[in-house]
Amino acid sequence: AQSVSQHNHHVILSEAASLELGCNYSYGGTVNLFWYVQYPGQHLQLLLKYFSGDPLVKGIKGFEAEFIKSKFSFNLRKPSVQWSDTAEYFCAVEAGNMLTFGGGTRLMVKP
Amino acid sequence: NAGVTQTPKFRVLKTGQSMTLLCAQDMNHEYMYWYRQDPGMGLRLIHYSVGEGTTAKGEVPDGYNVSRLKKQNFLLGLESAAPSQTSVYFCASRLNGELFFGEGSRLTVL
């Protein structure tokens, strides 16, 4: 079974700082990759997804992620965070019909 | 178009009681999922369904049962609730790889 690891459980940044959240997975076959975001008190929403093609994927709200197959990684980045980016971020890997989530990274952006 | 709707949103149970969580989606999606969310553990898949009349086990299926008698509904049952099942439960349906989540059901087992 696949597993997904998110290295940072909590990240605190000031506005305008750059963001990179790590995500690694263990699965040898073909996967689809996702980042979801959960704003306080809300349900999860899709930020971006990768199925194939260009390994640099752009999502909503200025987020992007890069798939590095050799490293089994799918890190999320944003050049300049805003206070409204305060949320919990989840990496997810799909293999077959199962979508497995990482443990999440709670991001707090200080104004 | 309501998307994915979960009922109830909150419930408190005593150990040993049973209950059913209902998930309804109006998007005609084939795939539906039940996850539980616990602090620091992300979302863990309990059971899922790839179509009406089908169900399959996920990562943490023990203590739960599911049914998908109608395409739009996916029920999650707890036969004998335990404190370890205190959690927030999310239902989701899927289309083209994207999950559409309900707002969650917070269950507390005393």
Side-chain angles (χ1 to χ4, degrees):
Chain A
Q2 65 264 32
S3 64
V4 183
S5 299
Q6 292 182 238
H7 315 300
N8 309 100
H9 297 294
H10 292 91
V11 174
I12 301 174
L13 295 173
S14 298
E15 275 194 315
S18 64
L19 170 72
E20 181 161 2
L21 302 182
C23 173
N24 285 90
Y25 66 93
S26 62
Y27 185 75
T30 301
V31 295
N32 296 323
L33 300 162
F34 306 82
W35 276 96
Y36 281 84
V37 60
Q38 186 176 30
Y39 297 104
Q42 297 186 25
H43 57 81
L44 278 78
Q45 304 167 45
L46 182 68
L47 263 183
L48 48 79
K49 60 186 177 184
Y50 172 81
F51 287 175
S52 64
D54 188 344
L56 185 61
V57 181
K58 295 193 183 301
I60 60 172
K61 304 185 180 185
F63 286 92
E64 64 179 31
E66 185 175 12
F67 171 48
I68 303 179
K69 190 174 181 179
S70 61
K71 295 185 178 180
F72 298 90
S73 70
F74 190 55
N75 292 355
L76 181 71
R77 300 194 293 248
K78 186 171 184 179
S80 176
V81 295
Q82 301 173 319
W83 176 79
S84 58
D85 293 324
T86 294
E88 191 161 14
Y89 294 81
F90 295 92
C91 179
V93 174
E94 180 184 27
N97 293 320
M98 288 185 61
L99 189 65
T100 303
F101 285 82
T105 297
R106 197 175 293 271
L107 171 66
M108 178 183 292
V109 180
K110 298 187 294 185
Chain B
N1 188 339
V4 179
T5 304
Q6 294 180 226
T7 53
K9 292 185 170 40
F10 300 93
R11 184 75 188 268
V12 178
L13 289 176
K14 295 181 180 178
T15 298
Q17 287 185 315
S18 63
M19 76 157 296
T20 300
L21 296 175
L22 170 64
C23 177
Q25 53 103 358
D26 60 4
M27 298 174 283
N28 203 36
H29 293 168
E30 292 289 342
Y31 290 33
M32 296 186 74
Y33 300 79
W34 274 108
Y35 287 91
R36 59 177 288 174
Q37 184 180 23
D38 303 288
M41 302 186 75
L43 279 80
R44 290 181 292 168
L45 181 63
I46 304 171
H47 287 279
Y48 65 99
S49 168
V50 300
E52 180 179 314
T54 74
T55 63
K57 294 180 179 181
E59 304 168 65
V60 289
D62 294 342
Y64 305 94
N65 56 74
V66 287
S67 64
R68 184 98 181 269
L69 298 179
K70 294 182 179 180
K71 187 177 184 179
Q72 63 267 34
N73 295 337
F74 193 31
L75 279 65
L76 177 71
L78 285 71
E79 293 179 344
S80 179
S84 61
Q85 294 177 304
T86 293
S87 187
V88 180
Y89 292 85
F90 284 97
C91 175
S93 66
R94 190 183 108 183
L95 180 66
N96 294 332
E98 179 177 353
L99 289 178
F100 297 84
F101 284 89
E103 294 189 354
S105 299
R106 185 176 293 275
L107 175 65
T108 301
V109 183
L110 303 176

